Amino acid sequence: MSYAISPPVIPSLPIIGSDQRFPVRRIFCIGRNYAEHAREMGATVDKDTPLFFCKPADAVVTDGADVPYPQATQDLHHEVEMVLALGGGGRDIPVEQAASLIWGYGVGLDLTRRDLQAVAKAKSHPWDVAKAFDHSAPVSALRPASQVKLDADTTLTLSINGQPRQQGRLGDMVHGVAEIIAILSTLFELKAGDLIFTGTPAGVSALQRGDRFHAELAGVATLEGRVA
Ligand code: MN
């Protein structure tokens, strides 16, 4: 068997303390997972119907590469989020078993073309053009789960050009990590290599060309880069 065109390269993330890389299969994201952020977007949290969307795996921006300012927007927004990397998967995973599927943790930006999202919301269109564009998912190196200890007070922060923009604590998530994995697995058969963006705290705002971002999941991972 040979391919008719060159097969696509498998996107991958660096791993802290290792020369190996983590291959990315799919990217799932949950929306409105911090009540304060839902409020700033003029939305409410519907705990019974979590909002999920996807980005293509090759939307990841890795190894500190520049993020090109995307086409077709005048309002590119940052959303800092904890990122889960799955080492296993399944369907209908019980919440008690869900955490054991997490291979590692990182921090990422769910970049959003906010103007296109506003149009999509107004017209009841899907969010793909707002969320799933090229280079829309800068992600840090991953730290293996065996080295990670998270609690409710673990902070997620983002500063732009040295100025604090977003800060949240994991205890403020509407759905915790195990719950997110369990719910997602009722909708999709999860697989090793899948990434999950776990939602953003309040404080989202616009990025400009030339901005430098510094995102941190305290004690776990750091993401630095620049909008080019
Ligand atoms: Mn988000």
Side-chain angles (χ1 to χ4, degrees):
M1 198 279 288
S2 67
Y3 291 112
I5 59 168
S6 300
V9 172
I10 296 175
S12 67
L13 300 176
I15 296 166
I16 296 167
S18 170
D19 291 334
Q20 294 188 311
R21 295 180 69 89
F22 184 90
V24 179
R25 184 168 185 275
R26 292 174 296 187
I27 304 175
F28 296 103
C29 307
I30 186 169
R32 299 175 190 163
N33 201 34
Y34 289 77
E36 279 296 318
H37 169 63
R39 218 169 347 254
E40 76 181 344
M41 297 307 299
T44 50
V45 173
D46 179 354
K47 196 155 197 283
D48 294 331
T49 315
L51 188 169
F52 293 109
F53 56 91
C54 298
K55 293 175 187 268
D58 66 359
V60 289
V61 179
T62 72
D63 303 276
D66 284 350
V67 175
Y69 195 93
Q71 64 202 112
T73 186
Q74 311 296 328
D75 197 20
L76 175 68
H77 270 211
H78 55 73
E79 298 189 358
V80 66
E81 312 202 359
M82 175 169 68
V83 178
L84 312 176
L86 300 189
R91 291 170 50 162
D92 301 320
I93 298 160
V95 73
E96 312 80 58
Q97 291 170 27
S100 69
L101 300 176
I102 302 172
W103 186 91
Y105 294 83
V107 60
L109 297 181
D110 165 17
L111 294 177
T112 303
R113 294 193 283 210
R114 196 68 77 197
D115 42 2
L116 298 191
Q117 187 189 36
V119 172
K121 286 177 177 175
K123 294 182 179 291
S124 298
H125 287 175
W127 285 9
D128 300 55
V129 300
K131 291 289 197 179
F133 54 94
D134 299 320
H135 315 292
S136 59
V139 184
S140 71
L142 297 176
R143 187 176 292 281
S146 56
Q147 303 170 15
V148 175
K149 189 94 181 76
L150 300 174
D151 62 39
D153 289 322
T154 300
T155 57
L156 187 60
T157 52
L158 175 70
S159 57
I160 303 296
N161 304 323
Q163 302 301 311
R165 288 269 188 101
Q166 289 190 262
Q167 169 148 15
R169 48 189 290 285
L170 299 186
D172 290 333
M173 291 196 293
V174 175
H175 299 281
V177 296
E179 209 181 337
I180 293 171
I181 293 168
I183 299 168
L184 258 181
S185 77
T186 67
L187 299 165
F188 304 92
E189 181 176 354
L190 298 177
K191 299 252 174 113
D194 289 340
L195 301 183
I196 303 174
F197 278 63
T198 57
T200 196
V204 301
S205 63
L207 287 165
Q208 311 300 334
R209 289 172 181 83
D211 280 351
R212 292 189 171 277
F213 50 85
H214 177 106
E216 218 167 308
L217 178 61
V220 177
T222 299
L223 168 70
E224 285 189 314
R226 188 175 70 102
V227 181

